């Protein structure tokens, strides 16, 4: 079975500041890793994913995450945030044998201050 | 990417009635679909795995008789909340896919 830990329930940052949202996972098998974003009163959107290959993955809106197998981490970073990045961010994991069965972390609320 | 459609997006029902939520994979076949529940300001909790042509697999703590799941075709899974109560009010989301999961838009259920 897999599990995900997001230690920070809320991260407040100023606009244009860098941010890192932490994510650690636990699994006895090889995994796929994901970050999803949920804007207020909306559904889920896939932000980025790690399936294989390069351990650094990027999204189209400037976020990146790095898969670190030795530290079992998949932290999400952005060098300069915007007000529009205000949302709930969920780290998620699935086992490779049951790839579409996604287990979510508890979420981190990113709030951007002007 | 693939599209998963969920209907309805919002539903309000009276306590004691049953509500059916549909999840459809529009451009691919899904032998397996998943149902999640999200309480306000909380994460998504996996409720059950819907298996086409066989019984659903429920996660620990989820009442099978309360949340009926039917996966009668390769493109449709339904979740029926039976004898709904106010504590069943929540956001329900389905997903389907192979290597990557695609999520429906979600259904906000309010039981009054």
């Amino acid at each position: 079975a897999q599990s995900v830990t997001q230690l920070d329930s809320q991260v407040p940052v100023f606009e244009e500041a860098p941010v890192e949202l932490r994510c650690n996972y636990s699994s006895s098998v090889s995994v796929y890793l994901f970050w999803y974003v949920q804007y207020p009163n909306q559904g889920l959107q896939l932000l980025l994913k790690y399936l294989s290959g390069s351990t650094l993955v990027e999204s189209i809106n400037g976020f990146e995450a790095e898969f670190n197998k030795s530290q079992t981490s998949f932290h999400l970073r952005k060098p300069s945030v915007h007000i529009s990045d205000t949302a709930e961010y969920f780290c998620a994991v699935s086992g490779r044998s049951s790839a579409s069965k996604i287990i979510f972390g508890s979420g981190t609320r990113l709030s951007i201050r002007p | 990417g693939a599209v998963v459609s969920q209907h309805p997006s919002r539903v309000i029902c009276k306590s004691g009635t049953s509500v059916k939520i549909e999840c459809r994979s529009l451009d691919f076949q899904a032998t397996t679909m998943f149902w999640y529940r999200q309480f306000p300001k909380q994460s998504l909790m996996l409720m059950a795995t819907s298996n086409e042509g066989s019984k659903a697999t429920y996660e620990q703590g989820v009442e099978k008789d309360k949340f009926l799941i039917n996966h009668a075709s390769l493109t449709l899974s339904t979740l029926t909340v039976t004898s709904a109560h106010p504590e069943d009010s929540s956001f329900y989301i389905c997903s389907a896919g192979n290597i990557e999961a695609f999520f429906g838009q979600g259904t906000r259920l309010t039981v009054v």
Side-chain angles (χ1 to χ4, degrees):
Chain A
Q2 293 80 41
S3 66
V4 180
T5 301
Q6 291 180 252
L7 289 174
D8 305 306
S9 60
Q10 190 166 347
V11 174
V13 293
F14 287 104
E15 194 173 16
E16 297 184 4
V19 70
E20 177 180 82
L21 306 183
R22 296 180 294 170
C23 172
N24 289 89
Y25 70 93
S26 174
S27 176
S28 57
V29 300
S30 296
V31 298
Y32 297 129
L33 292 159
F34 310 87
W35 275 98
Y36 287 87
V37 58
Q38 187 176 35
Y39 296 102
N41 298 313
Q42 294 189 26
L44 285 176
Q45 296 179 32
L46 179 65
L47 188 61
L48 47 76
K49 61 189 177 187
Y50 169 76
L51 302 181
S52 64
S54 174
T55 56
L56 183 65
V57 291
E58 299 176 349
S59 71
I60 59 173
N61 57 353
F63 283 95
E64 65 177 31
E66 186 162 18
F67 169 55
N68 188 318
K69 188 174 181 180
S70 62
Q71 297 185 7
T72 60
S73 68
F74 192 56
H75 302 328
L76 181 70
R77 302 183 182 93
K78 189 171 184 179
S80 176
V81 296
H82 302 284
I83 291 286
S84 59
D85 293 324
T86 297
E88 189 85 19
Y89 291 81
F90 295 98
C91 183
V93 65
S94 68
R96 295 198 172 202
S97 61
S98 181
S100 56
K101 181 178 180 179
I102 307 287
I103 303 301
F104 288 88
S106 54
T108 297
R109 181 170 300 277
L110 178 61
S111 58
I112 312 296
R113 302 169 176 172
Chain B
V3 178
V4 174
S5 176
Q6 196 171 332
H7 178 81
S9 58
R10 290 178 178 273
V11 58
I12 300 173
C13 71
K14 291 185 177 180
S15 187
T17 62
S18 295
V19 174
K20 180 184 286 188
I21 303 170
E22 294 185 346
C23 180
R24 295 181 184 272
S25 55
L26 297 186
D27 49 2
F28 66 101
Q29 293 182 332
T31 56
T32 304
M33 292 184 175
F34 301 92
W35 286 97
Y36 296 81
R37 180 176 184 178
Q38 184 181 32
F39 289 107
K41 298 186 179 182
Q42 293 188 28
S43 186
L44 288 84
M45 301 301 297
L46 179 64
M47 298 175 65
T49 303
S50 174
N51 303 299
E52 188 269 335
S54 63
K55 291 182 179 180
T57 305
Y58 290 82
E59 296 298 305
Q60 191 173 5
V62 178
E63 300 175 60
K64 302 178 183 181
D65 297 330
K66 177 74 171 176
F67 300 100
L68 299 180
I69 292 173
N70 184 277
H71 196 151
S73 79
L74 288 170
T75 59
L76 174 65
S77 174
T78 60
L79 169 68
T80 301
V81 183
T82 62
S83 186
H85 292 284
E87 57 265 30
D88 298 324
S89 298
S90 190
F91 193 56
Y92 294 87
I93 308 177
C94 69
S95 74
N98 296 314
I99 291 180
E100 179 179 340
F102 298 95
F103 287 83
Q105 311 94 308
T107 298
R108 187 162 302 283
L109 169 64
T110 303
V111 185
V112 298

